[in-house]
Amino acid sequence: MVFRNIAISGRIAVGSSSLAKGLSLRLGWKLRDAGQIFRDVTAQAGFNLEVDIDKAIGGRDDQIDKEVDRKTIEILNQGHNSIVTSKLAGFLGKEAEGVLRVLVVCRIDDRVSRYSKDRGYPVEEAKRLLEEREDKDREKWERMYGKVDFFDPEIFHLVIDSGKLRIDEEVDSILRHLNMV
């Protein structure tokens, strides 16, 4: 199969963004981050994230999320040489032709450690916040899409354990899958 786009997914703090950046640099492909898509959609909806962050993130209906997901699907279906990173990119791209779906995983202890270090929280606080964010995400996604395992390895062409590989090794793994090395 010829892949024209790559969808990289993973739970919070697995390293999917770092992998996507490294892969984008190696391939010269455009990086499309769901966080930026979210910021663009909220700005179009009239939210100033500097002022309305709680309203934009916590107190919104699902319409903003649906629009972010619609734009993500559009990029995966119509784009070429794009790398899309989002927690749901693989799930959203499962029907798209020519999209390599990559799931990044790692042990919960590694994720908590990364989250703690990146955000400057004590480890126990980081674990609580990470679990709280993931619970809210799962509730929202189930409300929008039904009960689905959004990180089911069967949805993906390739699963990478970021706790066992360096970023350059992760990139090489994807390039091998694309027959580019």
Side-chain angles (χ1 to χ4, degrees):
M1 173 180 257
V2 175
F3 296 105
R4 55 185 172 70
N5 293 310
I6 301 171
I8 300 179
S9 297
R11 297 180 190 276
I12 297 168
V14 295
S16 53
S17 294
S18 298
L19 170 58
K21 288 174 190 168
L23 187 60
S24 174
L25 287 171
R26 277 282 283 283
L27 288 175
W29 288 17
K30 184 172 182 167
L31 178 59
R32 304 296 302 265
D33 176 59
Q36 185 59 53
I37 297 170
F38 174 78
R39 287 185 285 283
D40 294 345
V41 169
T42 54
Q44 289 171 348
F47 290 108
N48 176 344
L49 291 182
E50 299 298 321
V51 176
D52 302 322
I53 190 72
D54 290 334
K55 185 176 177 187
I57 292 177
R60 67 183 189 267
D61 64 24
D62 295 336
Q63 286 311 113
I64 288 175
D65 297 288
K66 287 178 182 176
E67 181 62 13
V68 170
D69 292 352
R70 187 194 69 72
K71 287 185 179 281
T72 300
I73 292 168
E74 183 178 287
I75 292 165
L76 291 171
N77 278 318
Q78 298 174 4
H80 292 282
N81 299 342
S82 290
I83 299 167
V84 178
T85 179
S86 111
K87 292 177 218 159
L88 292 185
F91 170 76
L92 295 172
K94 68 183 179 192
E95 303 299 325
E97 301 246 347
V99 175
L100 175 67
R101 296 181 306 280
V102 179
L103 176 64
V104 183
V105 299
C106 73
R107 295 176 332 113
I108 184 67
D109 292 345
D110 293 336
R111 294 174 50 225
V112 168
S113 176
R114 291 173 184 175
Y115 196 72
S116 171
K117 182 180 173 188
D118 290 349
R119 303 290 195 285
Y121 295 123
V123 171
E124 287 306 312
E125 178 73 359
K127 183 176 182 179
R128 184 188 66 74
L129 291 169
L130 188 142
E131 289 172 346
E132 186 178 289
R133 272 187 65 192
E134 288 189 335
D135 287 345
K136 286 181 181 179
D137 283 346
R138 187 181 60 259
E139 288 170 11
K140 175 180 52 179
W141 299 336
E142 287 179 355
R143 188 174 58 249
M144 292 169 60
Y145 297 109
K147 277 200 174 273
V148 176
D149 180 356
F150 299 96
F151 302 107
D152 179 354
E154 294 297 316
I155 295 173
F156 299 87
H157 297 102
L158 184 62
V159 177
I160 294 175
D161 187 337
S162 66
K164 296 180 178 178
L165 300 172
R166 296 183 322 265
I167 291 173
D168 62 313
E169 293 172 318
E170 296 172 27
V171 168
D172 287 344
S173 179
I174 292 172
L175 295 177
R176 277 192 301 280
H177 199 84
L178 295 170
N179 295 318
M180 297 178 103
V181 264

